[in-house]
Amino acid sequence: MQKRHPLNYLKTFRERTGFLLQDMANLIGMHSGNLSKIETGTVTPSIEVMLAYHLILKIPLERLFKNHFKESLQELLLRSEALKQELIAEKKSKTIYKRLDLLKIIIDRIKDIQTVYEN
């Protein structure tokens, strides 16, 4: 998946708490210049950085990934449906049916999550 949205909301979250960039960088264990690049969207953050924002600033993970959540769900659904069609076309072994059953559960779960985030 391509990064399509800047992550400057990380800066907004941090600034709302009054926490300084230098202090955040120190806690995360990185140079403040690198963290600034992440906050402006110039550099994509690692999962460790995102988790640090979650833990330090108590930001719900869904809000941290707000610009990517709906897009990720849609892509997962499209890929799941495509895999389902491949498996239906294949039907060469008993394991295909088990995989299709599991895939149905996953597709239903993704659709349920989409419904929650659309409202």
Side-chain angles (χ1 to χ4, degrees):
M1 174 174 31
Q2 296 177 352
K3 183 184 118 194
R4 296 184 185 155
H5 305 280
L7 294 170
N8 57 359
Y9 58 89
L10 292 177
K11 181 178 181 180
T12 303
F13 284 132
R14 180 185 51 74
E15 288 179 339
R16 283 183 187 163
T17 67
F19 209 57
L20 296 176
L21 176 71
Q22 295 83 355
D23 295 334
M24 187 66 140
N26 192 340
L27 287 178
I28 293 173
M30 66 187 327
H31 188 272
S32 60
N34 291 334
L35 187 57
S36 178
K37 289 177 185 176
I38 288 171
E39 284 191 347
T40 59
T42 306
V43 174
T44 302
S46 66
I47 190 69
E48 290 84 7
V49 169
M50 295 300 278
L51 188 57
Y53 273 79
H54 164 68
L55 295 170
I56 294 167
L57 302 178
K58 293 187 175 183
I59 304 166
L61 291 174
E62 294 85 7
R63 292 192 67 203
L64 280 176
F65 294 101
K66 68 181 180 180
N67 290 336
H68 302 283
F69 214 73
K70 288 181 182 178
E71 180 181 296
S72 294
L73 285 171
Q74 185 61 35
E75 287 184 28
L76 282 171
L77 185 59
L78 289 172
R79 289 186 189 129
S80 297
E81 293 287 356
L83 178 57
K84 177 182 170 183
Q85 294 308 315
E86 285 179 34
L87 293 176
I88 289 171
E90 193 174 311
K91 286 191 182 178
K92 292 182 181 175
S93 68
K94 290 183 179 182
T95 61
I96 296 292
Y97 295 105
K98 182 175 182 177
R99 290 170 67 194
L100 281 168
D101 289 342
L102 292 171
L103 200 51
K104 182 187 178 329
I105 293 168
I106 291 167
I107 289 170
D108 290 344
R109 184 180 307 146
I110 293 169
K111 287 179 179 178
D112 287 345
I113 294 169
Q114 274 185 321
T115 303
V116 169
Y117 284 95
E118 286 173 357
N119 299 327

